[in-house]
Amino acid sequence: MLPRVRLSDVAPYDGAPAGPYLKAVEALSGSLMRHNAAVIELGSEDAAIMRCGLEAARLYFRTKSQTVGKGSRGVYMYRAGRALEDWDSSPPCMADIFRCMGKAARAALFAIARHLRLRSDVFNHLLDDTPLPANEVSSSVLVATYSPASLQNGKGAIGAIGGGKPAMNGEVEKGLLTLISSDSPGLQVCDPNGRWYLADGGSAPGDLLLITGKALSHATAGLRPAALYRAAPDFVSCSNGGGRTSLAFRLMPQGNAILDCSPIAAAGHVIPQSYVPISVSQFMDDLSAEEDGLCNRSDNTYLVQNNLNKEPSLRSVLSDPLSGAFLDDAMVVSCGHSFGGLMLRKVIDTSRCTICSAEIETGSLVPNLALRAAAVAIKQEDDRRLFHNAALRKRRKEMGDQMDPMRRSNRENGDATTTDDGLNRGVQYPFSVNEKVLIKEDTREVCWEGSCHHIPMSQWLVFA
C-alpha cells in the first residue's frame, strides 16, 4: 500500500514551514522516488465532491450506453472555459471536480518543487492563470472514463485512464502530473525496479493517485522521471454492478510556454546536455510522433523502434559515431557499408561489420568518394559559418568599443535623448529563425552551436 499524504498538509501557506508540512513533502517525494506514485488524501468536503462525481459519471455513461451500445467503453474530456454546444451533453459536477482536482494537482507540484530545493512557484509560468481569463480554454483536462466489466484484461481498451493510446509496455503521461480517482482498483504502476504493482488497491473513492509525466521530467532534468502505468489485467469489479469509473485530472503546461531546466541548475543540480530548452508545443509534437511510431509494436521491438523513429540528421550520417569527426576518409567494406575514423579502425580490428555483423575482408577496402565529398562539403559549410560568426563578433565588438566613449560623453553631458540607432537598427546575429539558442541573462551571452557570444548592453535590450 502506498503512503498516504493529506492534502491539507502539503497545501502552500504563508509563514515559516511547520513540521507537518515538511514531513508531508518528504513523504510525498519519497513515495514518488520509491514507487513512482503517491496517494493524496482529500479533506471531507473535497472527498464528498469526488464521490458524487464518480457516481454521476457512472450514471452518465450507463445512460449513454443505452443509446450508443451496451458494453461499450465511455470517455468524456472536460476543459474549463470550453463552451458546450447544444448537442454536447456532459456528466454533472465536472466544473466542481475540475476545481477540486486542480487545487490538489498544484499543491502536489509545489511540494515536488520544494523537495528539489526550488521555489514552490517555480513552475507557475508553465500553468494556466487562476482563475482563467475570459474566453480562454484551460490547458489542463479532466477525463471521465467508464469501463464495463466485460472489457477486462485490456480488451477494447483505449488507454488505462482514457484518451491515450494502448501500448504493450504501458503508457506514460505527457503533461506535468496526473491525479486519478476511481470507484474500484484497476491501475498498475511500474516501480523504479521494473516491477508492476496495483497502485490503487488500497485507495478509497475520495483518494487521489498521483503519477508524474514527461513534461515534468524534462522540466526537472530527469530528477522526477515520468511514471509508466497500465490497466490491470484482472481488475476487481466494484460491487454495485460491475465495471470501473475513474476521473483523471491531467495538469498540462501551456502550449506557448518553454520547458527550461535553468532553475534546476541554479539549485545546484547537474543538468545532462540532452535537456535543452524547448517549447511545450514542440515537445508535445515530438512525443506524439514517438507515440505514433511505437503504437501497436511488440515488446521485443519496443526499444528498437524507439531509436529507429528518431530520424538522424545529415551531420550525424556524415560523422564518425565514435569521434564525431566528418567522414572525409570514408571507406566501403566488403558487405557494402561505409565507415571512417575510429569506427573504421574498430571494424578493421574485429574484421566484422558493426551494422550487419557480417565478416569482412580487410584487404578489400574501397574509398567511398561520394560520401567523402559530401562530408567535405558540409565541413566547409560549417567552417564558413564559423568564420562568418567570428567576423560578426569582431565587428560588433569594434562598434561597441567605438560607441562606449560616445555614450559615456552623452551621459556626462546629460543628453538623455541620444539613442544608439546605429546599433538598434539592422543588428545581425550568428543564428537564424527557428534555431535553438540559450540565453544567459546574467552574463548577456547567447550560446549557439557550442560557442557563446557576448551581446553588448545596447544590443541586449533589442535582442531580449
Side-chain angles (χ1 to χ4, degrees):
M1 185 176 297
L2 293 174
R4 303 165 67 87
V5 178
R6 289 187 297 182
L7 177 61
S8 58
D9 289 340
V10 295
Y13 58 89
D14 292 331
Y21 175 80
L22 297 177
K23 292 180 180 179
V25 169
E26 186 66 29
L28 180 70
S29 300
S31 180
L32 290 174
M33 287 188 293
R34 291 188 295 269
H35 308 290
N36 281 338
V39 174
I40 297 179
E41 182 180 348
L42 298 177
S44 57
E45 293 185 4
D46 292 338
I49 293 176
M50 296 307 303
R51 287 193 294 269
C52 291
L54 287 169
E55 184 61 28
R58 172 182 288 274
L59 294 176
Y60 168 82
F61 287 119
R62 282 187 173 181
T63 303
K64 196 172 183 179
S65 65
Q66 297 177 359
T67 57
V68 176
K70 204 168 183 179
S72 61
R73 174 169 174 160
V75 176
Y76 181 86
M77 295 187 179
Y78 172 85
R79 291 183 184 273
R82 182 175 67 90
L84 294 177
E85 303 292 344
D86 295 337
W87 60 83
D88 187 9
S89 60
S90 168
C93 308
M94 287 290 102
D96 294 332
I97 297 172
F98 189 94
R99 286 192 292 268
C100 175
M101 299 185 78
K103 175 182 64 176
R106 288 174 180 259
L109 187 64
F110 293 166
I112 293 174
R114 288 300 295 265
H115 187 262
L116 296 176
R117 305 194 303 272
L118 306 172
R119 287 180 55 90
S120 59
D121 60 353
V122 70
F123 300 119
N124 275 8
H125 69 285
L126 300 174
L127 305 177
D128 293 327
D129 194 10
T130 51
L132 284 170
N135 302 321
E136 184 172 314
V137 180
S138 65
S139 302
S140 302
V141 59
L142 173 63
V143 184
T145 309
Y146 174 68
S147 300
S150 58
L151 293 182
Q152 294 187 15
N153 301 322
K155 296 179 180 179
I158 55 175
I161 57 177
K165 296 183 179 181
M168 298 295 295
N169 284 16
E171 303 174 45
V172 179
E173 285 295 294
K174 297 180 181 179
L176 295 167
L177 55 84
T178 299
L179 295 177
I180 307 160
S181 177
S182 59
D183 57 5
S184 63
L187 196 67
Q188 289 183 336
V189 175
C190 185
D191 67 14
N193 296 320
R195 295 189 295 263
W196 290 92
Y197 68 96
L198 189 64
D200 55 356
S203 300
D207 295 336
L208 301 178
L209 178 67
L210 167 65
I211 57 177
T212 51
K214 284 279 193 179
L216 183 61
S217 177
H218 190 93
T220 59
L223 295 177
R224 182 60 266 146
L228 193 65
Y229 67 93
R230 68 186 182 188
D234 52 352
F235 68 84
V236 181
S237 299
C238 57
S239 58
N240 59 351
R244 178 176 184 268
T245 307
S246 66
L247 297 169
F249 180 86
R250 291 187 170 111
L251 185 64
M252 303 294 293
Q254 300 180 85
N256 59 354
I258 302 295
L259 295 175
D260 185 12
C261 304
S262 56
I264 300 293
H269 300 286
V270 178
I271 308 298
Q273 294 183 353
S274 57
Y275 290 95
V276 297
I278 184 174
S279 67
V280 171
S281 57
Q282 182 62 50
F283 183 78
M284 295 300 171
D285 290 343
D286 293 344
L287 290 181
S288 298
E290 181 178 335
E291 184 182 64
D292 292 339
L294 296 178
C295 188
N296 299 325
R297 302 292 184 181
S298 65
D299 289 347
N300 294 333
T301 61
Y302 184 86
L303 295 178
V304 176
Q305 292 298 330
N306 187 26
N307 294 329
L308 291 179
N309 284 326
K310 297 177 181 178
E311 296 183 0
S313 64
L314 178 60
R315 284 175 175 79
S316 65
V317 173
L318 298 176
S319 302
D320 176 23
L322 294 182
S323 65
F326 282 108
L327 299 178
D328 51 5
D329 60 344
M331 304 289 287
V332 181
V333 298
S334 57
C335 65
H337 291 111
S338 297
F339 301 96
L342 296 180
M343 185 61 76
L344 178 61
R345 296 181 187 178
K346 181 179 180 180
V347 170
I348 294 176
D349 293 340
T350 59
S351 298
R352 186 173 296 276
C353 177
T354 58
I355 299 177
C356 64
S357 299
E359 293 186 1
I360 64 170
E361 301 175 3
T362 57
S364 60
L365 301 180
V366 178
N368 190 332
L369 300 180
L371 191 58
R372 291 185 179 187
V376 170
I378 295 297
K379 183 180 179 181
Q380 291 176 349
E381 179 183 344
D382 285 355
D383 291 342
R384 285 195 299 267
R385 178 180 295 180
L386 291 175
F387 177 79
H388 178 64
N389 295 344
L392 283 177
R393 290 196 301 271
K394 182 179 179 181
R395 178 172 173 267
R396 287 199 302 270
K397 185 178 183 302
E398 293 175 350
M399 293 178 63
D401 293 341
Q402 294 175 3
M403 296 299 297
D404 283 340
M406 297 176 58
R407 287 195 296 269
R408 282 197 299 268
S409 176
N410 290 335
R411 285 196 298 267
E412 292 173 357
N413 295 331
D415 186 1
T417 60
T418 304
T419 59
D420 300 328
D421 291 341
L423 293 175
N424 292 343
R425 230 180 265 142
V427 177
Q428 295 183 352
Y429 297 99
F431 43 82
S432 59
V433 177
N434 296 329
E435 286 192 282
K436 296 180 179 179
V437 298
L438 178 62
I439 303 173
K440 297 182 178 180
E441 188 171 357
D442 53 342
T443 59
R444 299 201 309 274
E445 288 182 336
V446 178
C447 297
W448 171 78
E449 287 196 353
S451 60
C452 292
H453 315 280
H454 181 77
I455 304 297
M457 176 60 75
S458 58
Q459 297 180 13
W460 174 257
L461 296 177
V462 178
F463 177 81

